[in-house]
Amino acid sequence: MDCASPGGTDTSTDPDLDKNQAFERGHAAAGLTPPDSSHKSNGELGPKTLRRLAQNREAARRSRLRKKAYVQQLESSGLRLARLEQELQRARQQGFLISTLGDQPDSENGDASSFYVEHARWLEEHHKQVDELRAAVGAHAGDGDLQAIVDTVMARCDEIFRLKGAAAKADAFRVLSGTWGTPVERCFLWLGGFRPSELLMLLASRLEPLTEKQLDSIDVLRRSSLQAEEALSREMEALRQSVTETVAAAGSSSLSCSDDDCTGQMAVAVGKLGAMEGLLRQADDLRLRILEETRRVLTTRQCARAVLVVTDYFSRMRALSSLWIARPTTGVN
């Protein structure tokens, strides 16, 4: 009877069989399995072995996920760093950095001269938050998730306006000229920033569909903003005219400005220029008010889309400036 048969009791001492058995015992002692053991099903493995295999597979899966997340983090950090380096390089080329201008921050203009660096950091973080919002909108996230991201974006906007106000107190003219922006952006500035009425027109044309009630509310906001903008523009023009007349009067009595009368007139002109900071603050207050009131008109999802629309608009303005600088120019005959 074959010894491999079930219930077999043959204790044959066949030399060949003994050699095979000894060979198998040798493999087992060395931690090796017979060639056909690899074909065992999971049901023939012990519970400890199955548990160990499952743990190994889970550990390998987690390791792959960690590696993938690490690579994505590196790529994202690299993109953000490249974007910031591009912004700084543009600033160097355009001569906006302190070292290029030859100005050194001090107790009087430190806030103004450092605002460019703060704005660059803010812009980098803003793009990160907007990318997160764009992904949430694309994934059809719930209103709660969208609202949380929008709230974070708006809180950051409040922060940059606060820093801008501190910079205006230190040097209103740096803020008025928009030294942190590109040439094209500076060309379209109004009192150191965007015109709220133009932003409302952009949203009304790009946020579809809007209800009739929403369109009416946005139109009311736009008209209100236009009136406030025109009033501030008139005040700015009156200030410019007043300063011009004061400086002109200072030099009417003599060709030099060494006498007391001339010095006094120039001091008056400097005092009038101090009103510039107040006008810039009122303009920023108007911008923040319009942004907040616009949020009340829109739904949560519309607010999220509005953030994307506005961000993309300003990004295209910066890109337009780069295209303008890089445009081919023809030689002058």
Side-chain angles (χ1 to χ4, degrees), residues 153-165:
V153 172
M154 297 307 298
R156 291 285 297 171
C157 287
D158 291 340
E159 176 66 14
I160 197 63
F161 275 110
R162 186 188 66 79
L163 293 172
K164 186 181 174 187

Side-chain angles (χ1 to χ4, degrees), residues 239 242-244 246-247 250 263-275:
L239 176 61
S242 178
V243 171
T244 299
T246 302
V247 172
T263 303
Q265 290 291 328
M266 294 301 290
V268 171
V270 171
K272 290 182 177 181
L273 289 177

